[in-house]
Amino acid sequence: MKILMIITGLGMGGAEHVVINLADELATLGHEVKLAYLNGEIEVKVSPKNPEVELISIGMHGSKDFAKAYIRLRKLVKDFKPDVVHSHMVHANIISRLLRLTIRIPKVISTAHSSNEGGKLRM
């Protein structure tokens, strides 16, 4: 199965560790896994151990880059043709759901790693 995981960033938080471990395990089980991160730098401690997991920087550095990030993600989905897009954290969840408006994605799973995603608008 082809799985595209999308996360807001790959800093040192707990959600990042969960996503990296999940990507590693899915690749070990034989799935083709790509992990796209919207912004920030990769912390060495949270890089995937499995060399089969491809990391892709989307290069979104604030709301001014939203359109460019959307286009890059859309192209990634179009080229990779994932069976599942699994997004993590609020910004990645929002952009992943919006992608479905312009391109076919068989399954989208959005995971919130906190019961408080931000203010009223985000919730």
Side-chain angles (χ1 to χ4, degrees), residues 24-45:
D24 277 338
E25 190 60 29
L26 288 168
T28 299
L29 292 171
H31 300 288
E32 187 176 350
V33 180
K34 293 182 188 266
L35 176 54
Y37 58 101
L38 298 181
N39 60 43
E41 300 297 320
I42 299 172
E43 298 289 338
V44 175
K45 294 179 182 177

